[in-house]
Amino acid sequence: MVMSGSNKKSNRETAELLRTKHGVTSNDLITCDSAEQKSVGDYRADGLMARSAEKGPGSVVYSMKWLQSLREIVIDNTRCPHTAQEFLDYEYERDKDGNVISGYPDKDNHHIDAVRYAEYGNAEVNNGTYRFFERSVEANVSA
């Protein structure tokens, strides 16, 4: 389970939704944005297994390059429609002349961040294809 993105619910409300709507139990690992240490503590206090995402200098660039290196990323469009749409819509920023600006824009990418947090360094890739069918990324934004 990955918690990312803007969520207007309290951590307690989100924890309850995760349990009741998405079937999360105390045995499911929740990865929270490392900038939100309060969330990790709140979820743990509520009986859920939570950890901070591992991030460091250059981690965004490194993990985005890792995602780009995959031959294919398969997303279940029925179970993860927002994630699928975000991957389709994500593109480099451009200057006023239409030239691509280097770097990765940090906007409208909450699901991509969640995938990076949860899977970078942990994914099992088969012949260059990463298959993503988890309900977890959807749970954080559309709950």
Side-chain angles (χ1 to χ4, degrees):
M1 177 62 58
V2 177
M3 299 307 297
S4 176
S6 62
N7 187 342
K8 298 194 181 353
K9 294 178 179 18
S10 71
N11 290 334
R12 179 168 293 280
E13 290 171 315
T14 303
E16 185 61 26
L17 279 172
L18 291 172
R19 281 192 195 92
T20 59
K21 186 174 178 183
H22 300 288
V24 172
T25 71
S26 60
N27 295 321
D28 294 313
L29 178 63
I30 298 171
T31 303
C32 303
D33 189 323
S34 59
E36 294 290 329
Q37 289 300 311
K38 181 182 181 309
S39 295
V40 174
D42 288 351
Y43 291 126
R44 286 180 179 169
D46 214 15
L48 297 174
M49 184 171 35
R51 71 173 179 113
S52 293
E54 294 181 30
K55 296 194 285 188
S59 64
V60 172
V61 171
Y62 196 74
S63 59
M64 290 298 283
K65 285 183 178 181
W66 173 77
L67 283 170
Q68 288 176 325
S69 75
L70 300 173
R71 183 175 52 86
E72 185 177 22
I73 299 173
V74 179
I75 301 171
D76 183 333
N77 201 23
T78 301
R79 290 163 53 185
C80 303
H82 300 291
T83 303
Q85 192 61 52
E86 189 172 288
F87 269 88
L88 289 172
D89 291 344
Y90 190 82
E91 58 183 49
Y92 293 109
E93 292 180 317
R94 296 181 180 272
D95 65 17
K96 61 182 171 126
D97 298 321
N99 300 312
V100 172
I101 300 172
S102 66
Y104 298 93
D106 189 20
K107 64 179 184 178
D108 302 323
N109 62 339
H110 299 300
H111 294 273
I112 293 170
D113 283 347
V115 170
R116 289 188 314 101
Y117 298 163
E119 300 305 329
Y120 176 70
N122 298 317
E124 291 187 24
V125 179
N126 184 12
N127 295 324
T129 298
Y130 173 64
R131 298 191 179 277
F132 184 71
F133 292 97
E134 291 297 317
R135 62 177 155 59
S136 59
V137 174
E138 289 304 308
N140 68 60
V141 177
S142 39

PDB file of all heavy atoms in Angstrom, residues 88-124:
ATOM      1  N   LEU A  88      -0.140   8.092 -18.885  1.00  0.00           N
ATOM      2  CA  LEU A  88      -0.365   8.533 -20.263  1.00  0.00           C
ATOM      3  C   LEU A  88      -0.188  10.042 -20.422  1.00  0.00           C
ATOM      4  O   LEU A  88       0.309  10.515 -21.448  1.00  0.00           O
ATOM      5  CB  LEU A  88      -1.768   8.129 -20.730  1.00  0.00           C
ATOM      6  CG  LEU A  88      -1.989   6.644 -20.965  1.00  0.00           C
ATOM      7  CD1 LEU A  88      -3.468   6.368 -21.219  1.00  0.00           C
ATOM      8  CD2 LEU A  88      -1.140   6.141 -22.120  1.00  0.00           C
ATOM      9  N   ASP A  89      -0.596  10.803 -19.423  1.00  0.00           N
ATOM     10  CA  ASP A  89      -0.566  12.264 -19.513  1.00  0.00           C
ATOM     11  C   ASP A  89       0.787  12.880 -19.162  1.00  0.00           C
ATOM     12  O   ASP A  89       1.056  14.014 -19.536  1.00  0.00           O
ATOM     13  CB  ASP A  89      -1.624  12.876 -18.582  1.00  0.00           C
ATOM     14  CG  ASP A  89      -3.037  12.600 -19.048  1.00  0.00           C
ATOM     15  OD1 ASP A  89      -3.227  12.213 -20.214  1.00  0.00           O
ATOM     16  OD2 ASP A  89      -3.958  12.769 -18.217  1.00  0.00           O
ATOM     17  N   TYR A  90       1.624  12.166 -18.436  1.00  0.00           N
ATOM     18  CA  TYR A  90       2.878  12.736 -17.945  1.00  0.00           C
ATOM     19  C   TYR A  90       3.823  13.018 -19.111  1.00  0.00           C
ATOM     20  O   TYR A  90       4.045  12.172 -19.963  1.00  0.00           O
ATOM     21  CB  TYR A  90       3.548  11.772 -16.961  1.00  0.00           C
ATOM     22  CG  TYR A  90       4.723  12.381 -16.236  1.00  0.00           C
ATOM     23  CD1 TYR A  90       4.527  13.179 -15.120  1.00  0.00           C
ATOM     24  CD2 TYR A  90       6.020  12.177 -16.675  1.00  0.00           C
ATOM     25  CE1 TYR A  90       5.596  13.748 -14.438  1.00  0.00           C
ATOM     26  CE2 TYR A  90       7.093  12.734 -16.005  1.00  0.00           C
ATOM     27  CZ  TYR A  90       6.875  13.519 -14.894  1.00  0.00           C
ATOM     28  OH  TYR A  90       7.941  14.079 -14.228  1.00  0.00           O
ATOM     29  N   GLU A  91       4.336  14.212 -19.156  1.00  0.00           N
ATOM     30  CA  GLU A  91       5.297  14.548 -20.200  1.00  0.00           C
ATOM     31  C   GLU A  91       6.228  15.643 -19.699  1.00  0.00           C
ATOM     32  O   GLU A  91       5.939  16.344 -18.731  1.00  0.00           O
ATOM     33  CB  GLU A  91       4.611  14.981 -21.488  1.00  0.00           C
ATOM     34  CG  GLU A  91       3.692  16.169 -21.349  1.00  0.00           C
ATOM     35  CD  GLU A  91       2.990  16.498 -22.656  1.00  0.00           C
ATOM     36  OE1 GLU A  91       2.439  15.585 -23.287  1.00  0.00           O
ATOM     37  OE2 GLU A  91       3.000  17.668 -23.032  1.00  0.00           O
ATOM     38  N   TYR A  92       7.355  15.756 -20.382  1.00  0.00           N
ATOM     39  CA  TYR A  92       8.328  16.783 -20.029  1.00  0.00           C
ATOM     40  C   TYR A  92       7.735  18.169 -20.238  1.00  0.00           C
ATOM     41  O   TYR A  92       6.901  18.385 -21.111  1.00  0.00           O
ATOM     42  CB  TYR A  92       9.586  16.665 -20.907  1.00  0.00           C
ATOM     43  CG  TYR A  92      10.384  15.414 -20.667  1.00  0.00           C
ATOM     44  CD1 TYR A  92      10.418  14.400 -21.615  1.00  0.00           C
ATOM     45  CD2 TYR A  92      11.127  15.261 -19.510  1.00  0.00           C
ATOM     46  CE1 TYR A  92      11.164  13.258 -21.410  1.00  0.00           C
ATOM     47  CE2 TYR A  92      11.875  14.119 -19.291  1.00  0.00           C
ATOM     48  CZ  TYR A  92      11.896  13.125 -20.244  1.00  0.00           C
ATOM     49  OH  TYR A  92      12.628  11.998 -20.037  1.00  0.00           O
ATOM     50  N   GLU A  93       8.214  19.103 -19.446  1.00  0.00           N
ATOM     51  CA  GLU A  93       7.811  20.490 -19.655  1.00  0.00           C
ATOM     52  C   GLU A  93       8.554  21.041 -20.864  1.00  0.00           C
ATOM     53  O   GLU A  93       9.615  20.563 -21.247  1.00  0.00           O
ATOM     54  CB  GLU A  93       8.133  21.319 -18.412  1.00  0.00           C
ATOM     55  CG  GLU A  93       7.276  20.945 -17.228  1.00  0.00           C
ATOM     56  CD  GLU A  93       7.596  21.761 -15.992  1.00  0.00           C
ATOM     57  OE1 GLU A  93       8.782  21.971 -15.692  1.00  0.00           O
ATOM     58  OE2 GLU A  93       6.633  22.177 -15.334  1.00  0.00           O
ATOM     59  N   ARG A  94       7.962  22.054 -21.458  1.00  0.00           N
ATOM     60  CA  ARG A  94       8.571  22.682 -22.641  1.00  0.00           C
ATOM     61  C   ARG A  94       8.695  24.180 -22.415  1.00  0.00           C
ATOM     62  O   ARG A  94       7.893  24.774 -21.702  1.00  0.00           O
ATOM     63  CB  ARG A  94       7.713  22.408 -23.871  1.00  0.00           C
ATOM     64  CG  ARG A  94       7.638  20.928 -24.206  1.00  0.00           C
ATOM     65  CD  ARG A  94       6.793  20.667 -25.442  1.00  0.00           C
ATOM     66  NE  ARG A  94       6.740  19.264 -25.733  1.00  0.00           N
ATOM     67  CZ  ARG A  94       7.630  18.616 -26.492  1.00  0.00           C
ATOM     68  NH1 ARG A  94       8.632  19.262 -27.032  1.00  0.00           N
ATOM     69  NH2 ARG A  94       7.512  17.313 -26.708  1.00  0.00           N
ATOM     70  N   ASP A  95       9.686  24.759 -23.061  1.00  0.00           N
ATOM     71  CA  ASP A  95       9.832  26.208 -22.986  1.00  0.00           C
ATOM     72  C   ASP A  95       8.876  26.862 -23.985  1.00  0.00           C
ATOM     73  O   ASP A  95       8.128  26.178 -24.690  1.00  0.00           O
ATOM     74  CB  ASP A  95      11.288  26.628 -23.203  1.00  0.00           C
ATOM     75  CG  ASP A  95      11.809  26.321 -24.603  1.00  0.00           C
ATOM     76  OD1 ASP A  95      11.003  26.088 -25.527  1.00  0.00           O
ATOM     77  OD2 ASP A  95      13.049  26.319 -24.776  1.00  0.00           O
ATOM     78  N   LYS A  96       8.920  28.204 -24.080  1.00  0.00           N
ATOM     79  CA  LYS A  96       7.977  28.930 -24.945  1.00  0.00           C
ATOM     80  C   LYS A  96       8.131  28.586 -26.416  1.00  0.00           C
ATOM     81  O   LYS A  96       7.197  28.764 -27.201  1.00  0.00           O
ATOM     82  CB  LYS A  96       8.126  30.432 -24.743  1.00  0.00           C
ATOM     83  CG  LYS A  96       9.491  30.966 -25.092  1.00  0.00           C
ATOM     84  CD  LYS A  96       9.595  32.450 -24.823  1.00  0.00           C
ATOM     85  CE  LYS A  96      11.041  32.851 -24.995  1.00  0.00           C
ATOM     86  NZ  LYS A  96      11.323  33.879 -25.867  1.00  0.00           N
ATOM     87  N   ASP A  97       9.296  28.025 -26.796  1.00  0.00           N
ATOM     88  CA  ASP A  97       9.528  27.638 -28.188  1.00  0.00           C
ATOM     89  C   ASP A  97       9.187  26.176 -28.454  1.00  0.00           C
ATOM     90  O   ASP A  97       9.393  25.689 -29.565  1.00  0.00           O
ATOM     91  CB  ASP A  97      10.987  27.912 -28.574  1.00  0.00           C
ATOM     92  CG  ASP A  97      11.342  29.388 -28.472  1.00  0.00           C
ATOM     93  OD1 ASP A  97      10.481  30.220 -28.846  1.00  0.00           O
ATOM     94  OD2 ASP A  97      12.455  29.704 -28.007  1.00  0.00           O
ATOM     95  N   GLY A  98       8.703  25.487 -27.434  1.00  0.00           N
ATOM     96  CA  GLY A  98       8.335  24.088 -27.610  1.00  0.00           C
ATOM     97  C   GLY A  98       9.461  23.100 -27.386  1.00  0.00           C
ATOM     98  O   GLY A  98       9.286  21.902 -27.574  1.00  0.00           O
ATOM     99  N   ASN A  99      10.633  23.593 -26.955  1.00  0.00           N
ATOM    100  CA  ASN A  99      11.758  22.703 -26.685  1.00  0.00           C
ATOM    101  C   ASN A  99      11.596  22.047 -25.320  1.00  0.00           C
ATOM    102  O   ASN A  99      11.169  22.697 -24.354  1.00  0.00           O
ATOM    103  CB  ASN A  99      13.077  23.487 -26.720  1.00  0.00           C
ATOM    104  CG  ASN A  99      13.304  24.124 -28.072  1.00  0.00           C
ATOM    105  OD1 ASN A  99      13.160  23.474 -29.101  1.00  0.00           O
ATOM    106  ND2 ASN A  99      13.639  25.406 -28.064  1.00  0.00           N
ATOM    107  N   VAL A 100      11.951  20.788 -25.244  1.00  0.00           N
ATOM    108  CA  VAL A 100      11.851  20.053 -23.986  1.00  0.00           C
ATOM    109  C   VAL A 100      12.848  20.613 -22.978  1.00  0.00           C
ATOM    110  O   VAL A 100      14.013  20.840 -23.305  1.00  0.00           O
ATOM    111  CB  VAL A 100      12.120  18.543 -24.213  1.00  0.00           C
ATOM    112  CG1 VAL A 100      12.209  17.805 -22.895  1.00  0.00           C
ATOM    113  CG2 VAL A 100      11.028  17.947 -25.086  1.00  0.00           C
ATOM    114  N   ILE A 101      12.359  20.859 -21.773  1.00  0.00           N
ATOM    115  CA  ILE A 101      13.205  21.324 -20.673  1.00  0.00           C
ATOM    116  C   ILE A 101      13.672  20.095 -19.920  1.00  0.00           C
ATOM    117  O   ILE A 101      12.876  19.208 -19.599  1.00  0.00           O
ATOM    118  CB  ILE A 101      12.418  22.256 -19.736  1.00  0.00           C
ATOM    119  CG1 ILE A 101      11.923  23.481 -20.503  1.00  0.00           C
ATOM    120  CG2 ILE A 101      13.263  22.655 -18.538  1.00  0.00           C
ATOM    121  CD1 ILE A 101      10.970  24.352 -19.709  1.00  0.00           C
ATOM    122  N   SER A 102      14.957  20.014 -19.630  1.00  0.00           N
ATOM    123  CA  SER A 102      15.478  18.835 -18.924  1.00  0.00           C
ATOM    124  C   SER A 102      14.925  18.796 -17.500  1.00  0.00           C
ATOM    125  O   SER A 102      14.548  19.807 -16.923  1.00  0.00           O
ATOM    126  CB  SER A 102      17.005  18.853 -18.898  1.00  0.00           C
ATOM    127  OG  SER A 102      17.462  19.934 -18.127  1.00  0.00           O
ATOM    128  N   GLY A 103      14.887  17.626 -16.970  1.00  0.00           N
ATOM    129  CA  GLY A 103      14.343  17.428 -15.639  1.00  0.00           C
ATOM    130  C   GLY A 103      12.944  16.842 -15.712  1.00  0.00           C
ATOM    131  O   GLY A 103      12.342  16.759 -16.779  1.00  0.00           O
ATOM    132  N   TYR A 104      12.459  16.430 -14.574  1.00  0.00           N
ATOM    133  CA  TYR A 104      11.150  15.801 -14.492  1.00  0.00           C
ATOM    134  C   TYR A 104      10.202  16.725 -13.744  1.00  0.00           C
ATOM    135  O   TYR A 104      10.458  17.074 -12.600  1.00  0.00           O
ATOM    136  CB  TYR A 104      11.258  14.447 -13.797  1.00  0.00           C
ATOM    137  CG  TYR A 104      12.137  13.496 -14.561  1.00  0.00           C
ATOM    138  CD1 TYR A 104      13.491  13.383 -14.268  1.00  0.00           C
ATOM    139  CD2 TYR A 104      11.621  12.757 -15.615  1.00  0.00           C
ATOM    140  CE1 TYR A 104      14.301  12.532 -15.000  1.00  0.00           C
ATOM    141  CE2 TYR A 104      12.425  11.904 -16.348  1.00  0.00           C
ATOM    142  CZ  TYR A 104      13.772  11.798 -16.032  1.00  0.00           C
ATOM    143  OH  TYR A 104      14.571  10.976 -16.766  1.00  0.00           O
ATOM    144  N   PRO A 105       9.094  17.133 -14.373  1.00  0.00           N
ATOM    145  CA  PRO A 105       8.161  18.037 -13.693  1.00  0.00           C
ATOM    146  C   PRO A 105       7.540  17.351 -12.478  1.00  0.00           C
ATOM    147  O   PRO A 105       7.181  16.181 -12.529  1.00  0.00           O
ATOM    148  CB  PRO A 105       7.106  18.341 -14.752  1.00  0.00           C
ATOM    149  CG  PRO A 105       7.301  17.365 -15.845  1.00  0.00           C
ATOM    150  CD  PRO A 105       8.666  16.788 -15.713  1.00  0.00           C
ATOM    151  N   ASP A 106       7.456  18.104 -11.390  1.00  0.00           N
ATOM    152  CA  ASP A 106       6.890  17.563 -10.157  1.00  0.00           C
ATOM    153  C   ASP A 106       5.483  18.107  -9.973  1.00  0.00           C
ATOM    154  O   ASP A 106       5.199  18.869  -9.063  1.00  0.00           O
ATOM    155  CB  ASP A 106       7.784  17.925  -8.973  1.00  0.00           C
ATOM    156  CG  ASP A 106       7.368  17.203  -7.708  1.00  0.00           C
ATOM    157  OD1 ASP A 106       6.666  16.172  -7.814  1.00  0.00           O
ATOM    158  OD2 ASP A 106       7.734  17.657  -6.612  1.00  0.00           O
ATOM    159  N   LYS A 107       4.603  17.727 -10.904  1.00  0.00           N
ATOM    160  CA  LYS A 107       3.199  18.116 -10.801  1.00  0.00           C
ATOM    161  C   LYS A 107       2.365  17.044 -11.487  1.00  0.00           C
ATOM    162  O   LYS A 107       2.817  16.390 -12.419  1.00  0.00           O
ATOM    163  CB  LYS A 107       2.953  19.486 -11.431  1.00  0.00           C
ATOM    164  CG  LYS A 107       3.210  19.542 -12.918  1.00  0.00           C
ATOM    165  CD  LYS A 107       2.916  20.926 -13.471  1.00  0.00           C
ATOM    166  CE  LYS A 107       3.101  20.909 -14.976  1.00  0.00           C
ATOM    167  NZ  LYS A 107       2.805  22.167 -15.594  1.00  0.00           N
ATOM    168  N   ASP A 108       1.163  16.853 -10.966  1.00  0.00           N
ATOM    169  CA  ASP A 108       0.252  15.850 -11.519  1.00  0.00           C
ATOM    170  C   ASP A 108       0.910  14.482 -11.643  1.00  0.00           C
ATOM    171  O   ASP A 108       0.745  13.793 -12.640  1.00  0.00           O
ATOM    172  CB  ASP A 108      -0.281  16.308 -12.891  1.00  0.00           C
ATOM    173  CG  ASP A 108      -1.002  17.644 -12.805  1.00  0.00           C
ATOM    174  OD1 ASP A 108      -1.693  17.869 -11.796  1.00  0.00           O
ATOM    175  OD2 ASP A 108      -0.868  18.450 -13.746  1.00  0.00           O
ATOM    176  N   ASN A 109       1.673  14.094 -10.621  1.00  0.00           N
ATOM    177  CA  ASN A 109       2.396  12.827 -10.687  1.00  0.00           C
ATOM    178  C   ASN A 109       2.309  12.037  -9.376  1.00  0.00           C
ATOM    179  O   ASN A 109       3.227  11.306  -9.036  1.00  0.00           O
ATOM    180  CB  ASN A 109       3.861  13.076 -11.055  1.00  0.00           C
ATOM    181  CG  ASN A 109       4.604  13.911 -10.031  1.00  0.00           C
ATOM    182  OD1 ASN A 109       4.005  14.631  -9.248  1.00  0.00           O
ATOM    183  ND2 ASN A 109       5.913  13.804 -10.031  1.00  0.00           N
ATOM    184  N   HIS A 110       1.206  12.177  -8.673  1.00  0.00           N
ATOM    185  CA  HIS A 110       1.071  11.490  -7.387  1.00  0.00           C
ATOM    186  C   HIS A 110       1.099   9.969  -7.533  1.00  0.00           C
ATOM    187  O   HIS A 110       1.707   9.271  -6.727  1.00  0.00           O
ATOM    188  CB  HIS A 110      -0.208  11.931  -6.677  1.00  0.00           C
ATOM    189  CG  HIS A 110      -0.229  13.388  -6.368  1.00  0.00           C
ATOM    190  ND1 HIS A 110       0.713  13.995  -5.572  1.00  0.00           N
ATOM    191  CD2 HIS A 110      -1.062  14.374  -6.777  1.00  0.00           C
ATOM    192  CE1 HIS A 110       0.459  15.281  -5.484  1.00  0.00           C
ATOM    193  NE2 HIS A 110      -0.622  15.543  -6.216  1.00  0.00           N
ATOM    194  N   HIS A 111       0.462   9.445  -8.550  1.00  0.00           N
ATOM    195  CA  HIS A 111       0.447   7.994  -8.755  1.00  0.00           C
ATOM    196  C   HIS A 111       1.823   7.510  -9.194  1.00  0.00           C
ATOM    197  O   HIS A 111       2.279   6.450  -8.767  1.00  0.00           O
ATOM    198  CB  HIS A 111      -0.610   7.603  -9.795  1.00  0.00           C
ATOM    199  CG  HIS A 111      -2.002   7.875  -9.331  1.00  0.00           C
ATOM    200  ND1 HIS A 111      -2.727   6.984  -8.589  1.00  0.00           N
ATOM    201  CD2 HIS A 111      -2.804   8.958  -9.492  1.00  0.00           C
ATOM    202  CE1 HIS A 111      -3.917   7.496  -8.316  1.00  0.00           C
ATOM    203  NE2 HIS A 111      -3.980   8.697  -8.854  1.00  0.00           N
ATOM    204  N   ILE A 112       2.465   8.272 -10.064  1.00  0.00           N
ATOM    205  CA  ILE A 112       3.814   7.902 -10.495  1.00  0.00           C
ATOM    206  C   ILE A 112       4.746   7.899  -9.290  1.00  0.00           C
ATOM    207  O   ILE A 112       5.561   6.978  -9.126  1.00  0.00           O
ATOM    208  CB  ILE A 112       4.315   8.848 -11.610  1.00  0.00           C
ATOM    209  CG1 ILE A 112       3.483   8.637 -12.879  1.00  0.00           C
ATOM    210  CG2 ILE A 112       5.804   8.629 -11.888  1.00  0.00           C
ATOM    211  CD1 ILE A 112       3.725   9.671 -13.970  1.00  0.00           C
ATOM    212  N   ASP A 113       4.639   8.897  -8.418  1.00  0.00           N
ATOM    213  CA  ASP A 113       5.444   8.909  -7.194  1.00  0.00           C
ATOM    214  C   ASP A 113       5.176   7.661  -6.364  1.00  0.00           C
ATOM    215  O   ASP A 113       6.104   7.031  -5.850  1.00  0.00           O
ATOM    216  CB  ASP A 113       5.128  10.142  -6.347  1.00  0.00           C
ATOM    217  CG  ASP A 113       5.758  11.414  -6.877  1.00  0.00           C
ATOM    218  OD1 ASP A 113       6.651  11.337  -7.755  1.00  0.00           O
ATOM    219  OD2 ASP A 113       5.357  12.499  -6.417  1.00  0.00           O
ATOM    220  N   ALA A 114       3.906   7.302  -6.231  1.00  0.00           N
ATOM    221  CA  ALA A 114       3.561   6.126  -5.434  1.00  0.00           C
ATOM    222  C   ALA A 114       4.184   4.863  -6.018  1.00  0.00           C
ATOM    223  O   ALA A 114       4.689   4.012  -5.287  1.00  0.00           O
ATOM    224  CB  ALA A 114       2.039   5.982  -5.340  1.00  0.00           C
ATOM    225  N   VAL A 115       4.164   4.744  -7.342  1.00  0.00           N
ATOM    226  CA  VAL A 115       4.790   3.589  -7.991  1.00  0.00           C
ATOM    227  C   VAL A 115       6.292   3.605  -7.721  1.00  0.00           C
ATOM    228  O   VAL A 115       6.894   2.583  -7.382  1.00  0.00           O
ATOM    229  CB  VAL A 115       4.500   3.579  -9.513  1.00  0.00           C
ATOM    230  CG1 VAL A 115       5.336   2.531 -10.228  1.00  0.00           C
ATOM    231  CG2 VAL A 115       3.021   3.335  -9.757  1.00  0.00           C
ATOM    232  N   ARG A 116       6.902   4.774  -7.862  1.00  0.00           N
ATOM    233  CA  ARG A 116       8.348   4.878  -7.611  1.00  0.00           C
ATOM    234  C   ARG A 116       8.666   4.484  -6.180  1.00  0.00           C
ATOM    235  O   ARG A 116       9.586   3.719  -5.928  1.00  0.00           O
ATOM    236  CB  ARG A 116       8.841   6.307  -7.860  1.00  0.00           C
ATOM    237  CG  ARG A 116       8.868   6.735  -9.293  1.00  0.00           C
ATOM    238  CD  ARG A 116       9.541   8.088  -9.512  1.00  0.00           C
ATOM    239  NE  ARG A 116       9.153   9.149  -8.594  1.00  0.00           N
ATOM    240  CZ  ARG A 116       9.868   9.558  -7.539  1.00  0.00           C
ATOM    241  NH1 ARG A 116      11.036   9.004  -7.260  1.00  0.00           N
ATOM    242  NH2 ARG A 116       9.431  10.531  -6.759  1.00  0.00           N
ATOM    243  N   TYR A 117       7.907   5.007  -5.218  1.00  0.00           N
ATOM    244  CA  TYR A 117       8.164   4.707  -3.812  1.00  0.00           C
ATOM    245  C   TYR A 117       8.036   3.221  -3.518  1.00  0.00           C
ATOM    246  O   TYR A 117       8.842   2.636  -2.812  1.00  0.00           O
ATOM    247  CB  TYR A 117       7.179   5.440  -2.887  1.00  0.00           C
ATOM    248  CG  TYR A 117       7.215   6.935  -2.920  1.00  0.00           C
ATOM    249  CD1 TYR A 117       6.145   7.660  -2.407  1.00  0.00           C
ATOM    250  CD2 TYR A 117       8.284   7.642  -3.456  1.00  0.00           C
ATOM    251  CE1 TYR A 117       6.147   9.049  -2.408  1.00  0.00           C
ATOM    252  CE2 TYR A 117       8.286   9.031  -3.466  1.00  0.00           C
ATOM    253  CZ  TYR A 117       7.214   9.721  -2.946  1.00  0.00           C
ATOM    254  OH  TYR A 117       7.208  11.076  -2.947  1.00  0.00           O
ATOM    255  N   ALA A 118       6.985   2.631  -4.038  1.00  0.00           N
ATOM    256  CA  ALA A 118       6.687   1.240  -3.701  1.00  0.00           C
ATOM    257  C   ALA A 118       7.559   0.251  -4.446  1.00  0.00           C
ATOM    258  O   ALA A 118       7.947  -0.777  -3.893  1.00  0.00           O
ATOM    259  CB  ALA A 118       5.221   0.938  -3.996  1.00  0.00           C
ATOM    260  N   GLU A 119       7.856   0.531  -5.685  1.00  0.00           N
ATOM    261  CA  GLU A 119       8.442  -0.496  -6.516  1.00  0.00           C
ATOM    262  C   GLU A 119       9.895  -0.305  -6.893  1.00  0.00           C
ATOM    263  O   GLU A 119      10.570  -1.267  -7.219  1.00  0.00           O
ATOM    264  CB  GLU A 119       7.615  -0.669  -7.790  1.00  0.00           C
ATOM    265  CG  GLU A 119       6.200  -1.056  -7.505  1.00  0.00           C
ATOM    266  CD  GLU A 119       6.066  -2.300  -6.639  1.00  0.00           C
ATOM    267  OE1 GLU A 119       6.928  -3.202  -6.706  1.00  0.00           O
ATOM    268  OE2 GLU A 119       5.100  -2.366  -5.878  1.00  0.00           O
ATOM    269  N   TYR A 120      10.394   0.911  -6.865  1.00  0.00           N
ATOM    270  CA  TYR A 120      11.779   1.109  -7.256  1.00  0.00           C
ATOM    271  C   TYR A 120      12.685   0.326  -6.314  1.00  0.00           C
ATOM    272  O   TYR A 120      12.619   0.449  -5.114  1.00  0.00           O
ATOM    273  CB  TYR A 120      12.162   2.587  -7.244  1.00  0.00           C
ATOM    274  CG  TYR A 120      13.614   2.772  -7.557  1.00  0.00           C
ATOM    275  CD1 TYR A 120      14.082   2.527  -8.834  1.00  0.00           C
ATOM    276  CD2 TYR A 120      14.504   3.126  -6.577  1.00  0.00           C
ATOM    277  CE1 TYR A 120      15.411   2.656  -9.130  1.00  0.00           C
ATOM    278  CE2 TYR A 120      15.838   3.258  -6.862  1.00  0.00           C
ATOM    279  CZ  TYR A 120      16.288   3.026  -8.133  1.00  0.00           C
ATOM    280  OH  TYR A 120      17.607   3.140  -8.412  1.00  0.00           O
ATOM    281  N   GLY A 121      13.521  -0.502  -6.873  1.00  0.00           N
ATOM    282  CA  GLY A 121      14.437  -1.315  -6.086  1.00  0.00           C
ATOM    283  C   GLY A 121      13.825  -2.605  -5.582  1.00  0.00           C
ATOM    284  O   GLY A 121      14.524  -3.470  -5.093  1.00  0.00           O
ATOM    285  N   ASN A 122      12.506  -2.750  -5.689  1.00  0.00           N
ATOM    286  CA  ASN A 122      11.837  -3.946  -5.200  1.00  0.00           C
ATOM    287  C   ASN A 122      11.136  -4.733  -6.296  1.00  0.00           C
ATOM    288  O   ASN A 122      10.716  -5.848  -6.078  1.00  0.00           O
ATOM    289  CB  ASN A 122      10.779  -3.576  -4.149  1.00  0.00           C
ATOM    290  CG  ASN A 122      11.382  -2.918  -2.952  1.00  0.00           C
ATOM    291  OD1 ASN A 122      12.416  -3.348  -2.469  1.00  0.00           O
ATOM    292  ND2 ASN A 122      10.757  -1.869  -2.473  1.00  0.00           N
ATOM    293  N   ALA A 123      10.964  -4.133  -7.443  1.00  0.00           N
ATOM    294  CA  ALA A 123      10.157  -4.754  -8.494  1.00  0.00           C
ATOM    295  C   ALA A 123      10.860  -5.944  -9.112  1.00  0.00           C
ATOM    296  O   ALA A 123      12.069  -5.965  -9.271  1.00  0.00           O
ATOM    297  CB  ALA A 123       9.849  -3.732  -9.584  1.00  0.00           C
ATOM    298  N   GLU A 124      10.080  -6.915  -9.427  1.00  0.00           N
ATOM    299  CA  GLU A 124      10.580  -8.029 -10.217  1.00  0.00           C
ATOM    300  C   GLU A 124      10.148  -7.772 -11.645  1.00  0.00           C
ATOM    301  O   GLU A 124       8.967  -7.702 -11.951  1.00  0.00           O
ATOM    302  CB  GLU A 124      10.008  -9.344  -9.694  1.00  0.00           C
ATOM    303  CG  GLU A 124      10.548  -9.707  -8.332  1.00  0.00           C
ATOM    304  CD  GLU A 124      10.104 -11.079  -7.900  1.00  0.00           C
ATOM    305  OE1 GLU A 124       9.780 -11.926  -8.756  1.00  0.00           O
ATOM    306  OE2 GLU A 124      10.085 -11.311  -6.690  1.00  0.00           O
TER     307      GLU A 124
END
